[in-house]
Amino acid sequence: MKLIEILKVALAAIWAHKLRSALTLLGMIVGVTAFVTVVSLIQGFNVYIDEKIAGIGAKSFSIQRFNPFEDFKDTDTIAAAQRRNKELTLDDYEYLKERATLIAKLGAKARGTPSQIKRNDQVLDDVFVVGATANTSDIENRNIENGRFFSDTEADGAARVAYIGADIATKLFPAGNPIGGEIDIRGLPYRVLGVEAVKGTVFGIPQDSFVVIPLKTYQLDFGPLIRQRSLYFTATSKTDQGFSDAVEEARFLMRARRKLGSNEKDNFGIVTPDAITGLRDRIFGSVFIVAIAVPGIALIVGAIVIMNIMLVSVTERTKEIGIRKSLGARQRDILKQFLFESATMATIGGAVGVFIAWIVGKVVTQVFFQTYLSVGAVVIAIAVAGGFGIMAGLFPAWKAARLDPIEALRAET
Amino acid sequence: MTEATIATSQTSAGVVAKPNLVSADGKVQVLIAMQNIWKTYDMGAEKVHALHGVSFEVKRGEYLAITGPSGSGKSTLMNLIGCLDTPSQGDYWLNGKNVSEMDDDELARIRNQEVGFVFQTFNLLARATALHNVELPLIYGGIPSAKRHEMAKQALTEVDLVDRMMHRPNELSGGQRQRVAIARALVNHPSILLADEPTGALDTATSYDIMNLFEKLYEDGNTIILVTHERDIAARARRIISIRDGLIEKDEQIK
Ligand SMILES: Nc1ncnc2c1ncn2[C@@H]1O[C@H](COP(=O)(O)OP(=O)(O)O)[C@@H](O)[C@H]1O
Ligand SMILES: [Mg+2]
C-alpha cells in the first residue's frame, strides 16, 4: 500500500472525527505553541540586547558605586554594599583619567532627574535630564540626527546647552528647527545644540524622551552628584584586545585610590558588556529550561491523550479493521494506517501550535518588541510533535494490526 | 512436516501427498482440496469442535452451496476456505498451494487476490462511497489509482449500480448494498466468490434478485461457494454439501 493512500485514509479518519481530533490535540497544540512562542521571544530579546550593547559600544564599560550583579542579590548584600561602597566623585574621575594608560576615553555621567520642560506654552513633564561629559557622545556611539553634541569647552564652562531626544524635539518644536532654539528646564533657559535620531520604543517605553546637559551645569542647576544623581564613569579601551586589561587597570587604580587591602572586596562596581550578556544568558538559561520543560510536559500529556484516543479509535473501528483484513490488508498495512493517523494528527497539532505561536509573535512584535520565528524552532516543534504522535500511535497501531480478522469482523461496529 | 499433517497421516493410516490437482492439459482444475480439516475452539474448560474431519474438493467453475442448521459449522468452514482463519488440523490446498503452511502476509495476499467475500451484513465501510468500497481490495493489491477507478467502475457496472457509485452505504437499500459488496468481491477477478448467507438480511424479492445475479456470475464462469441455511436458496446451486455438527452429511450434485 502506497504512502499517499495511507495518508488519505488517515486524513479521512481524522476529518470524520473533527471535534474529537481537535480536543485530542489540545495538549499537543499548547505544548508546541508554548515552545515556539518562548523560543521566538528569547531570540527576539537576544537580538534586541545584542543591538543594545552594540549601540552602547560593545567595547565600553562603566565604573559605578554598586555592582548590580553582585550587590543587588538580596537585602543583606544591598545593606552591606550600602555601608561599604562610597559615592564616586569628580576627584576619582580626575585620578583615573590621569593615571589610566589602557583607557582610550573616560567619560563621567550623573543619573538623571525627571523634570518639567517647557517651550512657550508647550509643557512636558517627567522628562529625564542627565548630566554628562562631552566625550560620552563618542563613548556611547550617539547617533546624531541634527546639530551636534556639546563641546568640552561648553561642558567645562557649565554652559546652559542641551542635547535632546527626537520626541522632545518634535513636541517642543512642532513647526521649526530646534537647533539654536531655547527650552526651559526647571525654570532655567537652555539652548538646544543637537537632536538624536529616533530610537523607537522598548517594552512600550519610549526611548526618545530625554535631555543631556553638561555635567557641571547639571551639578549647578540640579544639585550635588550623589544619591539619585549618583556619579558614574564610562570608558572605552584603546584596543579591542586590551579591553579586559583596561577593565583590570581601572579596577586596580580604584582599589589603590581607595586603599583597599588585598583581601577586601571592591567597594565600587565595574559593569562590562560581558557581565550584561552573562546575566542575560543566566536568566535565559533558566527561561530556556522552562521553555523546554513546560512544552515537554504538555507534549507528553498530549501524547498520552493521543494514545488513549487512538486506543478508543481502534476499539471503535474493530469492524473496519476486520473488513480491511478480509479484503487483503496485511498487518503492516493496518499498523501503518493507525501510525499515520496518530502521526498526522500530532503533526497537524504541531502546525496549529506553530500558527498560534506565529500570531502571538506578531502581537508581541506590535506591542512590545521584535520577535523571531526561526525556521529551526518551527521544524523542531513540528518534528517533535510528529515523533510524539508516532510514539503515541505505536501501541494502538500494534494492537490493531494484531487483531484476528474473524474476531474483528464479528465486532458490532 | 507439520503437526497437522502428522495427525492426518495417522487418521488416514497412510501418507498424505499433494492431491492430484492438475488435469491432463496441465491446467489446475481442482481449486479447493480440503483434507480432513478440523477446527477446534479452546473455550478453557471444554473444547468446541466446530469441524471434525471435513474433506472435499471443489473444481474451477463450480456453483456450490454449503447448507446445514445453525451452529453446524458452515461459517467456520467458509472462513477457512477464505483464509480468514486457519484449520487446527488438516491440509487445505488452494489453487495448488498448501494454505495451512502460509504465514500472515501470504494469507492476506490470498484474501486479496484469490477470494472475494460477500457477507450477510454486507460489511461495507460506512464512511466510504460505494466506489471507494469497491476500490479497497485494489488499494491493498497495489493497483494505481487511475486503473483502480476504471476497474471499480466496471465491477459496479456489472452489478448495475454505476449510477450510485458516489453514494454511501446508508444512502443505499439492502439489496443495493449487497450488490456493492458483490462488486467489491469481484473487482479483483478472484478464483472464488465466497458468500456467507448473502440473502440473510434481505427480503424475498431482493433475495431473488441477488440469486439471479449469482446465477449470471456462475454462467460467466465464476466459481461460487454459497453458505445458506435456507433450502430454496441452496437449491439454486449445482451442488449441495450438507453439514451437521461439523461433519459432512451429504454431498450431492443437483441439476
Ligand atoms: N470464535 C468461536 N469461539 C468459540 N466457538 C465458536 C467460535 N466460532 C464458532 N464457534 C462454534 O462453532 C460452531 C459452528 O459455528 P458456525 O460455523 O458459526 O456455525 P454456522 O455458521 O453453521 O451457524 C458453533 O457451535 C459455534 O458456537
Ligand atoms: Mg453462520
Side-chain angles (χ1 to χ4, degrees):
Chain A
M1 202 175 170
K2 291 205 205 75
L3 283 188
I4 184 79
E5 306 291 348
I6 307 175
L7 193 63
K8 274 194 215 158
V9 172
L11 287 173
I14 294 167
W15 190 243
H17 301 279
K18 286 176 280 290
L19 182 64
R20 191 170 79 180
S21 303
L23 291 176
T24 306
L25 290 177
L26 225 52
M28 209 46 113
I29 292 172
V30 168
V32 171
T33 305
F35 174 77
V36 176
T37 302
V38 173
V39 168
S40 60
L41 290 187
I42 289 176
Q43 285 188 332
F45 202 76
N46 273 344
V47 170
Y48 163 72
I49 287 187
D50 287 344
E51 275 171 2
K52 211 68 215 172
I53 288 168
I56 296 167
K59 289 302 170 194
S60 78
F61 64 96
S62 70
I63 304 160
Q64 49 197 54
R65 182 179 174 190
F66 296 111
N67 180 342
F69 305 110
E70 297 277 318
D71 299 338
F72 296 165
K73 278 179 185 152
D74 53 57
T75 46
D76 288 346
T77 56
I78 292 172
Q82 254 159 358
R83 266 180 273 114
R84 184 183 62 229
N85 294 13
K86 288 180 287 181
E87 294 275 6
L88 295 175
T89 63
L90 286 171
D91 289 343
D92 292 334
Y93 177 62
E94 293 305 330
Y95 176 90
L96 279 179
K97 221 175 169 178
E98 262 168 44
R99 287 168 181 76
T101 57
L102 303 173
I103 286 173
K105 286 199 172 81
L106 184 70
K109 289 182 85 174
R111 301 210 180 277
T113 309
S115 318
Q116 194 187 60
I117 300 187
K118 288 190 288 204
R119 177 173 181 265
N120 302 335
D121 43 351
Q122 302 284 340
V123 179
L124 300 176
D125 280 311
D126 290 333
V127 174
F128 234 62
V129 178
V130 299
T133 54
N135 59 4
T136 56
S137 172
D138 292 337
I139 295 170
E140 292 171 16
N141 266 339
R142 286 201 181 275
N143 187 3
I144 301 168
E145 174 77 30
N146 209 350
R148 61 175 177 89
F149 205 75
F150 46 79
S151 67
D152 279 325
T153 325
E154 285 158 333
D156 291 343
R160 290 222 171 90
V161 288
Y163 175 79
I164 62 178
D167 208 30
I168 309 288
T170 49
K171 280 186 179 143
L172 293 189
F173 299 89
N177 181 5
I179 309 301
E182 199 177 275
I183 57 174
D184 175 302
I185 304 175
R186 292 170 131 207
L188 293 168
Y190 287 75
R191 187 161 51 87
V192 176
L193 292 179
V195 180
E196 179 134 319
V198 175
K199 287 182 183 170
T201 62
V202 173
F203 298 113
I205 301 165
Q207 299 294 298
D208 298 312
S209 185
F210 66 87
V211 174
V212 188
I213 61 173
L215 191 62
K216 271 196 182 157
T217 321
Y218 187 66
Q219 192 177 18
L220 290 172
D221 290 351
F222 285 74
L225 304 179
I226 51 166
R227 284 194 289 278
Q228 74 272 22
R229 289 180 298 276
S230 191
L231 188 68
Y232 64 101
F233 312 142
T234 55
T236 52
S237 67
K238 282 184 173 155
T239 62
D240 281 357
Q241 301 93 310
F243 183 75
S244 50
D245 289 340
V247 172
E248 281 319 304
E249 186 192 42
R251 186 192 308 282
F252 172 83
L253 289 172
M254 279 304 293
R255 288 181 67 88
R257 175 162 172 78
R258 292 195 170 174
K259 302 192 172 58
L260 292 175
S262 59
N263 54 355
E264 278 178 287
K265 274 186 140 186
D266 288 351
N267 56 5
F268 54 91
I270 295 185
V271 176
T272 62
D274 285 354
I276 298 169
T277 47
L279 177 73
R280 174 193 69 190
D281 293 346
R282 271 204 304 279
I283 293 171
F284 285 166
S286 37
V287 171
F288 231 98
I289 290 168
V290 175
I292 301 297
V294 170
I297 292 165
L299 284 180
I300 290 170
V301 172
I304 293 171
V305 173
I306 290 180
M307 181 159 95
N308 252 305
I309 295 297
M310 288 307 293
L311 283 171
V312 170
S313 173
V314 168
T315 311
E316 274 184 2
R317 284 151 67 194
T318 303
K319 180 93 177 183
E320 175 193 326
I321 296 162
I323 293 172
R324 289 179 184 278
K325 286 200 157 191
S326 79
L327 300 175
R330 292 165 302 178
Q331 290 195 357
R332 82 183 80 126
D333 293 323
I334 303 293
L335 186 86
K336 277 191 215 156
Q337 179 186 332
F338 281 88
L339 264 188
F340 251 72
E341 194 173 315
S342 81
T344 307
M345 196 148 71
T347 307
I348 291 172
V352 171
V354 167
F355 180 70
I356 295 175
W358 177 71
I359 292 173
V360 171
K362 286 257 155 206
V363 171
V364 170
T365 301
Q366 285 292 318
V367 180
F368 298 106
F369 60 94
Q370 183 70 44
T371 59
Y372 287 83
L373 185 62
S374 75
V375 177
V378 170
V379 169
I380 288 174
I382 292 182
V384 167
F388 270 75
I390 291 175
M391 283 195 284
L394 267 176
F395 177 58
W398 179 81
K399 269 190 81 169
R402 292 292 304 263
L403 281 175
D404 180 63
I406 305 279
E407 297 291 331
L409 271 176
R410 219 176 263 142
E412 281 305 312
T413 47
Chain B
M1 259 216 233
T2 64
E3 230 177 290
T5 25
I6 297 165
T8 315
S9 359
Q10 282 161 353
T11 43
S12 59
V15 178
V16 172
K18 184 173 171 175
N20 184 17
L21 306 168
V22 184
S23 66
D25 58 359
K27 269 186 85 180
V28 177
Q29 288 303 329
V30 176
L31 198 54
I32 288 169
M34 291 260 173
Q35 294 171 332
N36 197 25
I37 294 286
W38 288 68
K39 183 68 191 182
T40 308
Y41 293 109
D42 199 342
M43 303 301 286
E46 44 160 356
K47 284 188 168 34
V48 178
H49 296 290
L51 296 172
H52 22 136
V54 170
S55 304
F56 64 93
E57 288 184 355
V58 180
K59 294 200 181 61
R60 200 174 285 280
E62 274 197 89
Y63 187 178
L64 166 68
I66 298 172
T67 186
S70 182
S72 54
K74 304 184 296 294
S75 294
T76 304
L77 184 56
M78 176 66 86
N79 294 337
L80 289 177
I81 296 171
C83 294
L84 277 173
D85 210 351
T86 47
S88 312
Q89 276 183 37
D91 279 314
Y92 168 27
W93 299 82
L94 176 66
N95 235 343
K97 291 190 207 88
N98 193 344
V99 172
S100 334
E101 288 167 359
M102 287 184 176
D103 66 16
D104 198 80
D105 277 7
E106 289 174 298
L107 291 175
R109 200 197 61 80
I110 299 260
R111 292 197 289 268
N112 186 243
Q113 310 278 318
E114 305 281 352
V115 182
F117 281 105
V118 177
F119 300 94
Q120 178 174 0
T121 51
F122 323 127
N123 285 351
L124 299 175
L125 292 190
R127 286 190 273 105
T129 60
L131 184 68
H132 185 76
N133 267 292
V134 176
E135 280 186 46
L136 279 173
L138 305 173
I139 291 177
Y140 291 113
I143 312 270
S145 75
K147 174 107 185 285
R148 208 161 69 206
H149 248 66
E150 212 41 56
M151 290 171 77
K153 262 178 159 169
Q154 179 60 33
L156 281 166
T157 310
E158 275 165 39
V159 298
D160 206 16
L161 262 184
V162 75
D163 53 330
R164 298 290 164 88
M165 67 182 190
M166 296 321 278
H167 289 234
R168 283 166 210 282
N170 63 359
E171 298 158 351
L172 297 170
S173 72
Q176 285 172 330
R177 286 183 216 182
Q178 196 58 299
R179 269 149 60 200
V180 173
I182 292 169
R184 183 178 67 183
L186 289 172
V187 72
N188 244 350
H189 306 297
S191 305
I192 337 159
L193 185 60
L194 287 178
D196 191 350
E197 309 271 9
T199 59
L202 304 175
D203 60 62
T204 317
T206 319
S207 294
Y208 282 136
D209 286 347
I210 294 294
M211 291 319 294
N212 290 340
L213 181 56
F214 277 124
E215 188 72 33
K216 181 188 141 227
L217 294 171
Y218 165 64
E219 276 158 15
D220 291 348
N222 290 290
T223 310
I224 299 173
I225 301 180
L226 175 74
V227 161
T228 180
H229 66 277
E230 291 171 79
R231 282 261 136 216
D232 57 332
I233 297 290
R236 300 287 296 263
R238 299 299 183 275
R239 174 186 169 192
I240 299 177
I241 291 181
S242 308
I243 60 173
R244 184 178 289 276
D245 298 334
L247 274 171
I248 294 184
E249 193 181 47
K250 219 177 346 169
D251 184 347
E252 54 190 334
Q253 205 72 35
I254 55 171
K255 292 176 199 169

